[in-house]
Amino acid sequence: MQNYDEIIKKELYNTKYGRLFVGDSVELSKSYLCRYYKNKFNLIITSPPFPLNNKKRYGNLQGNEYYEWFIKLAPIFSSLLTDDGSLVIEIGNAWEQGRPVQSLLHLECLLGLVKNQHADLRLIQEFVCYNPSRLPSPAQWVTINRIRTVDSYTHVWWIAKSDFPKADNTKVLRPYSKKMLRLIDKKKFNAGKRPSEHKISQKAFAKNNGGSIAHNLFELETLDPSREVRLPHNVLSFSNSISNDYYLKRCRSDNISPHPARMHSGLVNFFIEFLTRENDLVLDPFAGSNTTGYCAEKLKRKWISIEADSGYAHNSIIRFEEPSFDSKLKVSTHLGGDSVRKQT
């Protein structure tokens, strides 16, 4: 087991609220986090490497090797979470090698994670993140043979150690529709029993609660152009490819390759505000460009992020150099500072 001094040498930078380490997340979790942060994290939110057929630079295992690696995360995550803490994992679909058949691997991983006998975890709710700006994939079957449709969504699994993890959906309300605002204003609607046997009271739509309850489908772009996207205020209604993001602008201007599998900042904001409070502790063990740390910092949550690729870790410093963002960034000189940022 690595000692404390060796671990600290892996810290690339720290801010007012958080720290980013460069290294293997499983190794660092076992040797450092499980020792000093056992049962301390209120939220673990991450997008681990997907089980893709083609190897990516950011690293990804395949098949049974991926499954075995994934389910071994269960006891680690369980030991790090508070009793009312949550684990949120975003993961995409996988396809069988050389076949137009969707793999069951991601579902097997979910079942293996929550059924791991060394971790007391359960699936609280599944969310779907729809993003029509994703490139057509799998390309062989979508754009070449044209026998499949575009894979345009990812799964987001909300998992916890308790049936009742800390959560408050009033913190992530959607804006009311124009129709609903009219109902609230007029206080006149068709009350009574519906064909579904639900009973609508006379006061059901009379009170303005500040917004409607969020759905478990995130439209990063509208499904129907004729209506307005009503995402919670803290979920930004644009896709990850939009060019007005400071991180992407800096990557272009500095000739840096951005991380190819960034988590959507609006998605991270949603779960941080839904499942935590100010000064709670958030972990992202597969940080990538450190969207989680950036969002947690803005929302005044304490955070720890881990990224195995030193280049992507160094590039994530850009997020905390945003002019309007007073992050009190301190970069460790012993890990090379700006000198190892990866160029295109």
Side-chain angles (χ1 to χ4, degrees):
M1 179 178 290
Q2 294 175 304
N3 62 40
Y4 183 81
D5 290 337
E6 290 175 331
I7 296 296
I8 293 304
K9 289 180 181 178
K10 295 180 181 292
E11 181 184 296
L12 174 60
Y13 60 84
N14 62 71
T15 64
K16 181 178 180 180
Y17 289 100
R19 313 159 72 187
L20 180 136
F21 294 92
V22 178
D24 181 86
S25 60
V26 173
E27 176 187 308
L28 283 169
S29 294
K30 289 181 176 179
S31 62
Y32 176 63
L33 296 183
C34 286
R35 182 176 180 183
Y36 295 101
Y37 291 92
K38 186 175 182 180
N39 303 128
K40 297 292 187 183
F41 289 96
N42 304 95
L43 173 63
I44 300 174
I45 180 168
T46 194
S47 180
F50 291 180
L52 304 174
N53 287 324
N54 297 318
K55 287 284 186 180
K56 300 293 185 180
R57 196 183 80 190
Y58 57 82
N60 55 287
L61 302 174
Q62 298 162 294
N64 191 63
E65 187 180 10
Y66 182 92
Y67 173 81
E68 294 296 331
W69 170 80
F70 192 90
I71 63 173
K72 287 179 181 178
L73 297 173
I76 297 173
F77 290 157
S78 181
S79 68
L80 294 174
L81 285 173
T82 59
D83 290 339
D84 63 352
S86 292
L87 166 63
V88 174
I89 297 177
E90 181 192 19
I91 193 164
N93 294 314
W95 293 75
E96 295 290 350
Q97 179 71 40
R99 301 172 61 197
V101 176
Q102 191 166 317
S103 170
L104 299 178
L105 181 58
H106 62 292
L107 300 177
E108 292 168 349
C109 286
L110 170 63
L111 293 175
L113 193 76
V114 298
K115 290 188 174 183
N116 190 309
Q117 296 181 350
H118 302 290
D120 185 21
L121 298 174
R122 75 282 333 260
L123 178 65
I124 301 299
Q125 191 171 14
E126 181 178 10
F127 292 74
V128 172
C129 185
Y130 166 70
N131 185 355
S133 292
R134 294 183 67 194
L135 293 175
S137 65
Q140 179 64 43
W141 314 120
V142 176
T143 60
I144 300 175
N145 293 69
R146 292 190 176 264
I147 57 174
R148 296 293 180 267
T149 58
V150 177
D151 193 7
S152 61
Y153 72 93
T154 57
H155 306 266
V156 183
W157 297 325
W158 174 20
I159 297 165
K161 293 165 65 173
S162 162
D163 292 3
F164 299 96
K166 181 194 295 186
D168 185 350
N169 67 25
T170 67
K171 303 296 184 183
V172 286
L173 296 175
R174 299 192 307 160
Y176 282 130
S177 66
K178 293 178 181 178
K179 182 178 179 181
M180 184 62 191
L181 288 173
R182 286 195 297 269
L183 282 176
I184 293 172
D185 182 52
K186 293 180 179 180
K187 295 181 172 55
K188 294 181 180 179
F189 49 88
N190 183 23
K193 195 172 183 178
R194 296 290 192 264
S196 62
E197 299 188 359
H198 287 93
K199 293 181 180 179
I200 307 299
S201 74
Q202 292 288 346
K203 298 181 180 180
F205 303 117
K207 182 180 179 182
N208 188 332
N209 293 304
S212 61
I213 298 172
H215 292 186
N216 66 340
L217 169 66
F218 296 104
E219 294 177 68
L220 299 185
E221 291 181 15
T222 182
L223 284 164
D224 180 359
S226 68
R227 65 171 173 79
E228 183 183 3
V229 175
R230 291 192 298 119
L231 290 167
H233 294 292
N234 52 0
V235 181
L236 307 179
S237 57
F238 55 81
S239 75
N240 237 358
S241 61
I242 292 296
S243 59
N244 63 356
D245 174 79
Y246 177 80
Y247 168 78
L248 289 178
K249 283 182 177 179
R250 275 289 305 277
C251 285
R252 284 194 297 270
S253 66
D254 293 358
N255 198 32
I256 292 171
S257 296
H259 194 282
R262 302 175 303 281
M263 283 190 76
H264 190 280
S265 58
L267 195 68
V268 178
N269 284 344
F270 175 87
F271 285 105
I272 288 178
E273 293 210 293
F274 180 29
L275 304 175
T276 71
R277 300 294 172 266
E278 284 192 12
N279 292 313
D280 278 357
L281 186 58
V282 178
L283 170 67
D284 188 345
F286 307 103
S289 64
N290 201 15
T291 303
T292 296
Y294 171 80
C295 292
E297 188 83 15
K298 287 219 165 191
L299 294 172
K300 298 180 180 179
R301 271 63 165 179
K302 298 173 185 176
W303 59 270
I304 291 178
S305 293
I306 302 172
E307 171 53 36
D309 187 293
S310 62
Y312 290 136
H314 280 78
N315 293 348
S316 73
I317 293 172
I318 291 172
R319 293 199 181 277
F320 300 90
E321 294 174 340
E322 189 174 311
S324 62
F325 192 16
D326 181 19
S327 61
K328 296 181 171 57
L329 177 68
K330 295 180 181 178
V331 181
S332 300
T333 56
H334 63 270
L335 285 179
D338 291 342
S339 63
V340 299
R341 288 190 181 173
K342 290 193 173 181
Q343 307 293 308
T344 53

